């Protein structure tokens, strides 16, 4: 096989989409632990509200007021957790992946090469966990838990992205995933 490569620049829509896809596939804290922590915090909020409202003069309103205030706090806590996790994942992804120079990705017979003006790395196809194609980006996950290589499909300076994608699909087979989600910010 003749090596085939593309030269590309980072684009904001591609990086935003790549960050959202990475956050989706990132399982730093499993769902069980997230739910357990959320339940413990909810029980703590309920207990504190009950103790505070127990010492009020109007005892007949104790339970309804406790329920209303607790629900409001739990709902706001949920939105706070999700927005903070999304924002922090996006910030980590953008600061690590964004670069102003040209980048290159080359597909060879047995490996892929990624290079920037400052670094170069090679990965055999067996080392690549999966490739996730979005609308604006192509995300190549080399090791579980690490940041993926995010290739912008819109700002390809040299080469054809369609040929690159078809060659990558051929090499990755069942580890090639489509993530076609509209409205990723």
């Amino acid at each position: 096989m003749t090596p085939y490569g593309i030269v590309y620049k980072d684009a904001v829509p591609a990086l935003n989409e790549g960050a959202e896809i990475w956050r989706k596939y990132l399982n730093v804290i499993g769902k069980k632990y997230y739910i357990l922590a959320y339940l413990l915090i909810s029980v703590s909020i309920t207990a504190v509200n009950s103790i505070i409202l127990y010492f009020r003069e109007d005892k007949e309103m104790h339970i309804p007021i406790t329920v209303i205030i607790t629900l409001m706090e739990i709902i706001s806590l949920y939105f706070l957790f999700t927005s903070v996790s999304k924002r922090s994942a996006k910030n980590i992804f953008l600061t690590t992946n964004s670069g102003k120079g040209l980048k290159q990705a080359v597909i060879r017979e047995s490996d892929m090469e990624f290079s920037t003006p400052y670094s170069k790395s090679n990965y055999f196809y067996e080392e690549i966990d999966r490739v996730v194609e979005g609308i604006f980006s192509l995300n190549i996950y080399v090791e579980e838990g690490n940041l993926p290589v995010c290739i912008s499909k819109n700002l390809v300076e040299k080469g054809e992205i369609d040929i690159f994608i078809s060659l990558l699909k051929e090499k990755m087979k069942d580890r090639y995933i489509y993530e076609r989600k509209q409205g990723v910010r």
Side-chain angles (χ1 to χ4, degrees):
M1 172 186 162
T2 305
Y4 189 80
I6 58 170
V7 177
Y8 63 95
K9 286 184 179 179
D10 289 329
V12 174
L15 291 175
N16 287 339
E17 181 184 64
E20 184 64 27
I21 291 171
W22 178 65
R23 189 193 60 78
K24 178 184 172 188
Y25 284 100
L26 180 69
N27 289 323
V28 173
I29 300 174
K31 289 186 180 187
K32 290 189 293 188
Y33 296 111
Y34 185 77
I35 291 171
L36 180 64
Y38 193 70
L39 286 175
L40 287 174
I41 291 172
S42 300
V43 168
S44 300
I45 289 173
T46 305
V48 168
N49 286 341
S50 295
I51 291 170
I52 291 171
L53 293 173
Y54 180 75
F55 293 109
R56 293 184 52 136
E57 288 99 28
D58 48 349
K59 299 288 185 192
E60 66 275 352
M61 295 299 291
H62 171 68
I63 292 176
I65 291 174
T66 302
V67 169
I68 291 169
I69 291 175
T70 302
L71 284 176
M72 288 172 46
E73 289 175 344
I74 290 172
I75 290 169
S76 63
L77 186 68
Y78 170 76
F79 287 117
L80 179 70
F81 275 174
T82 54
S83 69
V84 166
S85 70
K86 283 182 181 181
R87 193 172 336 124
S88 64
K90 185 176 180 179
N91 287 342
I92 291 169
F93 190 86
L94 291 177
T95 56
T96 307
N97 273 330
S98 64
K100 298 195 189 277
L102 293 174
K103 298 179 179 181
Q104 182 178 12
V106 178
I107 295 178
R108 295 192 186 118
E109 183 65 36
S110 60
D111 67 336
M112 284 188 75
E113 178 183 293
F114 302 103
S115 58
T116 67
Y118 306 106
S119 67
K120 184 184 282 191
S121 57
N122 287 18
Y123 298 103
F124 292 103
Y125 294 112
E126 295 82 33
E127 296 175 316
I128 299 174
D129 288 336
R130 64 183 167 272
V131 176
V132 182
E133 179 184 351
I135 297 170
F136 304 113
S137 66
L138 190 63
N139 301 287
I140 302 168
Y141 291 81
V142 177
E143 292 179 16
E144 192 66 37
N146 287 346
L147 289 168
V149 175
C150 183
I151 297 174
S152 174
K153 292 168 42 175
N154 297 337
L155 291 178
V156 175
E157 299 285 322
K158 284 186 180 178
E160 292 291 326
I161 191 68
D162 296 331
I163 296 171
F164 186 82
I165 289 173
S166 66
L167 290 171
L168 194 56
K169 282 181 197 175
E170 180 184 310
K171 295 291 183 183
M172 296 304 294
K173 296 182 174 77
D174 60 339
R175 294 178 290 162
Y176 195 93
I177 303 167
Y178 292 100
E179 184 70 35
R180 303 290 181 152
K181 182 178 176 184
Q182 290 289 344
V184 175
R185 293 182 184 180

